[in-house]
Amino acid sequence: MATAVEVPGNQKVEKLLKTNLNEHFAFKAGSLIPTLQKWIKHPVSAIKFEPDHSSFFKCSSAQVHTIEELSSISYGKGDQFILEFGTHQVGYLSFYLGVDGVNVDAPARLRLTFGEIPYDVNEELHPCNTWISTSWLPDEVINVDWLPTKVEMPRRYSFRYVKIEIIDTSPKYKIRFQDVKVTAVSSVSPAIADAVPSLGINDEELQNIDRVSQLTLRNCMHTVFEDGPRRDRRLWLGDLRLQALTNYCTFKHYDLVKRCLYMFAALPREDGSLPACVFEKPKLAPASDYIIDYDALFGPTVYDYVVASKDLETGVELWPTILGSMRAALAHINPEGRFVSAASSAWKFLDWSEGLDTDAGMHGLVLFCCKQINNLAALLSKPPPFGDTVARMSVAVMQFYDESQKVFVSGPDKQISWSSQAWLALSDSINPEISLQAIKNAMSDPKAVKPLTPYAYHHVAEALARSGGELESLKLIRSYWGGMVRAGADTFWECFDEGDGRKSPYGDCHNNSYCHAWSCTPSYLLRVVLKEYLEVQQK
């Protein structure tokens, strides 16, 4: 029997601070709810999975029936089939259930399993050894009493494959499946998605990565920027920043970003801090999760929005919230100007990397946030609030530098990690040549702590590009996000380890999300950060 996966210590909530609801901001957020766009997609074939040890998921699909053939096949107790929709979908499944037989003397009992990847539909989902709720597992058992009839699944699902198992009918009849379809939904219509300009470079691999990035983002854009349409279906602050940056250079849905900013600003805690994520249903409410770095990133997210949308008024209105969101992070700065994670037990995330020390990375992140907020102050004709803090923290940056190894180290064990190098580089307080060499040295050190998630890989890729390592940034995009595409991804995943198709931050990959918004940023990297470099290379 597998050992039960324990809930990490930083997930255990010891104290909940009171939320001071800002009703004005909540009303504004409510007024910006978008109309969801809808369109119909049909499956392309009925398939089965066969062993294939050369593929990432150790299996490959083979067609069993065409969709035209499917509607003429009768299914009874114990039968099953898998539908392939060709690409990732988010929406509501429906079908017409026909009947062959003498009469319907018992309900048809069906199990439907919605799969983002092959593991979801060619393995048993249960038991699932994970520390997050297994109620997220995408399977349903339904009983259909009166046949023939149209069946409309009431829940929204995120999937490419649907496995349908006929648990039972009766000896007197069998069933047929006709007009199977999904009513797909997103706040981004097909017309807007199709109107996004092409990447403009003659590179098929990068074009594919850009295409998958956009589909990932689009399938996470609903009435909020969801972290994942399968799980958790809610709005996280750190994820929002990356989603918004990618949105600005693709779909340009500024009002959805604005709505999400006001949702967070409506829910400050009594100390001014902001929750790491919020729920929109059944009513706007904060989650118990609190992450120091996500709190601090609210200001930069507002700054990015103001720059992209030219909406100075929102920047002014949210200014007090921004200042409040920095208090907890700045409370970790010691007299020497260094960030000290141990100053509180609050969660410092950066990544799901096991054993990651956060002192150096958080120092870089908080310094980055202070500078971005000072930049916003200039746009709003306000004095910079963190001038002295930036000066002290900038001097302290080099205290993390190990001259002998030409790399930045973190914590009492002088840990080397990719995330530490990335965030210190993004703080723009170091000679770019030193930053670039430090990142490259960490990446070549087999003992260095590597990222686990695309969230952290994004910051490494952006840090490389902004430190003069455009070529290395492109190589990382090709190897990491390109690796997911080569593994079969049509939307990018919550986490990816090219050597382990079952890797999970939660103990079991069946509870992973395989369309996850924090992985959508290659479009931003290619269209914004690396744009000039790619244009020069194209000539």
Side-chain angles (χ1 to χ4, degrees):
M1 180 180 294
T3 303
V5 179
E6 291 290 329
V7 176
N10 55 27
Q11 301 294 305
K12 298 174 181 178
V13 179
E14 296 179 355
K15 180 183 178 182
L16 278 178
L17 296 182
K18 178 186 175 183
T19 295
N20 293 325
L21 174 65
N22 186 314
E23 293 185 359
H24 172 63
F25 287 173
F27 177 82
K28 273 205 164 183
S31 71
L32 293 165
I33 298 174
T35 299
L36 290 180
Q37 307 299 310
K38 299 179 181 180
W39 60 98
I40 302 298
K41 287 290 185 179
H42 293 91
V44 297
S45 63
I47 63 169
K48 64 179 178 179
F49 285 100
E50 299 173 334
D52 180 357
H53 294 290
S54 66
S55 70
F56 184 73
F57 292 114
K58 308 307 178 189
C59 63
S60 58
S61 66
Q63 180 172 288
V64 176
H65 303 296
T66 67
I67 288 304
E68 292 72 23
E69 291 169 337
L70 179 71
S71 62
S72 64
I73 299 172
S74 297
Y75 292 96
K77 180 178 181 178
D79 292 335
Q80 66 176 47
F81 59 94
I82 298 171
L83 294 175
E84 155 75 279
F85 277 77
T87 190
H88 190 273
Q89 310 291 334
V90 178
Y92 299 86
L93 187 77
S94 64
F95 50 89
Y96 184 82
L97 210 53
V99 178
D100 288 328
V102 179
N103 50 44
V104 178
D105 60 339
R109 177 170 292 183
L110 311 177
R111 175 180 288 111
L112 293 90
T113 304
F114 297 80
E116 291 186 315
I117 61 165
Y119 285 160
D120 291 331
V121 293
N122 71 352
E123 298 180 349
E124 291 295 326
L125 295 181
H126 307 276
C128 182
N129 188 25
T130 175
W131 58 266
I132 58 176
S133 175
T134 56
S135 63
W136 284 116
L137 293 176
D139 58 340
E140 298 278 358
V141 173
I142 64 170
N143 295 299
V144 184
D145 292 307
W146 312 116
L147 301 168
T149 189
K150 182 177 181 180
V151 177
E152 295 181 315
M153 301 295 289
R155 296 188 70 209
R156 195 196 74 190
Y157 283 97
S158 174
F159 63 95
R160 175 174 176 168
Y161 311 103
V162 180
K163 179 170 68 173
I164 300 180
E165 301 170 79
I166 294 78
I167 298 174
D168 209 349
T169 54
S170 93
K172 294 187 177 182
Y173 76 93
K174 291 188 176 183
I175 53 178
R176 284 179 285 109
F177 292 82
Q178 299 169 313
D179 193 26
V180 183
K181 61 189 177 185
V182 58
T183 302
V185 293
S186 170
S187 61
V188 178
S189 70
I192 290 176
D194 291 343
V196 176
S198 66
L199 191 57
I201 59 172
N202 186 24
D203 188 308
E204 185 177 359
E205 181 179 39
L206 294 182
Q207 289 172 352
N208 285 334
I209 291 171
D210 179 56
R211 172 181 53 79
V212 175
S213 297
Q214 290 184 49
L215 184 58
T216 304
L217 177 60
R218 179 191 183 188
N219 283 1
C220 292
M221 290 175 65
H222 298 278
T223 49
V224 297
F225 283 92
E226 296 181 9
D227 58 334
R230 166 167 160 172
R231 200 226 78 237
D232 305 308
R233 302 189 187 185
R234 59 183 185 259
L235 174 63
W236 289 80
L237 222 172
D239 305 47
L240 171 62
R241 176 176 170 267
L242 299 188
Q243 290 170 282
L245 287 170
T246 307
N247 168 65
Y248 301 143
C249 63
T250 54
F251 310 127
K252 303 184 188 303
H253 199 329
Y254 300 115
D255 276 355
L256 188 61
V257 181
K258 184 176 180 178
R259 164 171 160 76
C260 293
L261 291 173
Y262 274 101
M263 287 173 69
F264 279 108
L267 300 170
R269 309 194 309 172
E270 58 186 307
D271 63 352
S273 63
L274 299 177
C277 71
V278 299
F279 301 100
E280 61 169 336
K281 297 175 182 178
K283 66 176 183 179
L284 179 61
S288 59
D289 308 82
Y290 176 71
I291 304 174
I292 291 284
D293 29 324
Y294 278 28
D295 191 11
L297 285 167
F298 180 75
T301 308
V302 176
Y303 171 65
D304 294 333
Y305 166 76
V306 170
V307 170
S309 67
K310 309 296 190 293
D311 180 4
L312 297 177
E313 181 182 343
T314 292
V316 170
E317 190 164 40
L318 295 181
W319 184 251
T321 308
I322 292 169
L323 297 181
S325 73
M326 288 298 294
R327 291 175 192 154
L330 293 175
H332 291 72
I333 308 301
N334 73 6
E336 289 74 45
R338 285 177 56 137
F339 187 96
V340 179
S341 293
S344 83
S345 60
W347 187 8
K348 294 90 186 173
F349 176 60
L350 299 181
D351 187 41
W352 282 118
S353 306
E354 186 174 350
L356 177 64
D357 188 277
T358 57
D359 281 358
M362 285 296 299
H363 186 97
L365 182 146
V366 174
L367 180 51
F368 166 83
C369 293
C370 288
K371 288 187 171 184
Q372 294 288 86
I373 294 168
N374 285 348
N375 290 339
L376 177 59
L379 284 180
L380 303 179
S381 301
K382 293 179 178 291
F386 301 124
D388 291 343
T389 302
V390 165
R392 287 196 305 124
M393 292 187 71
S394 296
V395 170
V397 163
M398 293 307 290
Q399 295 179 29
F400 295 99
Y401 191 62
D402 186 317
E403 178 69 37
S404 64
Q405 300 183 81
K406 306 295 184 187
V407 73
F408 292 90
V409 297
S410 184
D413 296 329
K414 300 188 181 301
Q415 181 192 83
I416 299 172
S417 73
W418 295 26
S419 290
S420 291
Q421 321 308 314
W423 274 112
L424 286 169
L426 290 171
S427 74
D428 195 25
S429 301
I430 311 160
N431 183 307
E433 293 181 1
I434 294 176
S435 293
L436 180 59
Q437 191 59 58
I439 301 170
K440 291 165 68 173
N441 287 346
M443 292 176 69
S444 64
D445 183 348
K447 296 180 181 179
V449 177
K450 293 177 62 174
L452 176 59
T453 66
Y455 178 78
Y457 271 100
H458 162 81
H459 296 114
V460 176
E462 183 171 2
L464 283 166
R466 296 197 184 280
S467 300
E470 292 91 346
L471 177 61
E472 291 81 4
S473 179
L474 269 179
K475 286 181 178 178
L476 183 59
I477 292 169
R478 292 183 192 275
S479 66
Y480 188 71
W481 285 272
M484 279 189 262
V485 173
R486 290 187 292 275
D490 53 3
T491 53
F492 287 129
W493 305 336
E494 180 177 18
C495 67
F496 173 60
D497 183 334
E498 63 181 354
D500 183 358
R502 311 193 77 89
K503 194 77 171 182
S504 174
Y506 314 113
D508 193 318
C509 66
H510 288 125
N511 230 356
N512 285 4
S513 164
Y514 290 91
C515 175
H516 215 70
W518 68 15
S519 65
C520 73
T521 56
S523 287
Y524 166 69
L525 294 169
L526 296 171
R527 291 170 175 269
V528 178
V529 181
L530 291 163
K531 183 176 186 291
E532 292 183 6
Y533 177 81
L534 289 170
E535 288 173 347
V536 170
Q537 296 302 306
Q538 188 75 5
K539 293 178 181 179

